[in-house]
Amino acid sequence: EYQELRVLLEVMEAESAKPSDMLDALRRQELTGYVRAVATMRPSSIPFSQIDRVLPDSRWRLAFSSDISAMGELPSYADVKLSFDAEGSTMMDYSLVFTQKMLGLKKLNARSSYKINPQNGMVRCIYEKISTDLFGIKDIGVGAFGMLKGRYVTIKTVYMDTRMWIERGNGPDGSEYYNVYTRQLESP
């Protein structure tokens, strides 16, 4: 399952597929099965206690989510990207990047601090400053999103290697979902 998952994710990335792109039900089910198998049956090649050595100076892109309801809310021309600062820093950018400008909006960014629990692999990203890139002007503070400051998102790691990061979560209805992030090797 691991090899099949890697190949499918590489094909999706080569085609610039977004996580919100609607896969047909059979392909989504197949991909979800591979993700679940890797997440539940394959030991993480990077132990949770060493995630803090992998994240600094790395960039990740949400490549797939089995949570179709959440992805349906994401515009098809949007990417979720995580960009961690260099070693020694606990800061990162949690961004929604638009491949097409939406009313002049290129990017919505949450400059965040992060904490890693080495026991269970949970990475908590705490929003510090929300900004946008709007009409070509970068890093515009957004007052309306100021209410997000101090809120956080938790990535519940179940598998990680040098190219793939899988999290498992539960939706509001209790259903299990998986998100797969792929490491971006080139500069943003």
Side-chain angles (χ1 to χ4, degrees), residues 10-150:
E10 287 171 8
V11 167
M12 289 171 66
E13 190 159 343
E15 294 175 352
S16 298
K18 305 289 182 259
S20 58
D21 288 347
M22 291 299 166
L23 300 172
D24 63 67
L26 187 59
R27 179 54 55 105
R28 179 170 289 286
Q29 185 177 9
E30 175 187 27
L31 202 47
T32 299
Y34 292 149
V35 173
R36 182 177 289 112
V38 170
T40 60
M41 299 178 356
R42 185 180 176 100
S44 187
S45 65
I46 295 174
F48 294 154
S49 62
Q50 294 180 14
I51 290 175
D52 63 337
R53 296 180 187 171
V54 175
L55 291 183
D57 205 26
S58 68
R59 288 167 298 288
W60 301 81
R61 175 185 172 266
L62 179 62
F64 172 75
S65 179
S66 65
D67 185 6
I68 194 166
S69 63
M71 292 302 96
E73 295 174 9
L74 193 61
S76 61
Y77 45 85
D79 264 332
V80 175
K81 295 190 176 186
L82 311 177
S83 181
F84 293 85
D85 288 3
E87 192 169 340
S89 174
T90 58
M91 297 300 290
M92 51 95 61
D93 291 309
Y94 194 103
S95 304
L96 187 58
V97 179
F98 300 98
T99 54
Q100 300 173 9
K101 285 187 181 175
M102 184 177 80
L103 300 173
L105 184 62
K106 178 71 175 153
K107 177 168 113 175
L108 183 61
N109 188 66
R111 184 74 178 149
S112 307
S113 58
Y114 71 94
K115 296 177 184 176
I116 302 168
N117 183 327
Q119 303 302 314
N120 60 16
M122 287 180 35
V123 179
R124 178 164 286 172
C125 308
I126 305 155
Y127 303 151
E128 302 290 339
K129 178 186 173 196
I130 311 297
S131 63
T132 64
D133 290 0
L134 189 63
F135 297 113
I137 303 169
K138 296 183 182 235
D139 201 28
I140 300 171
V142 182
F145 291 101
M147 66 183 134
L148 296 175
K149 184 176 179 178

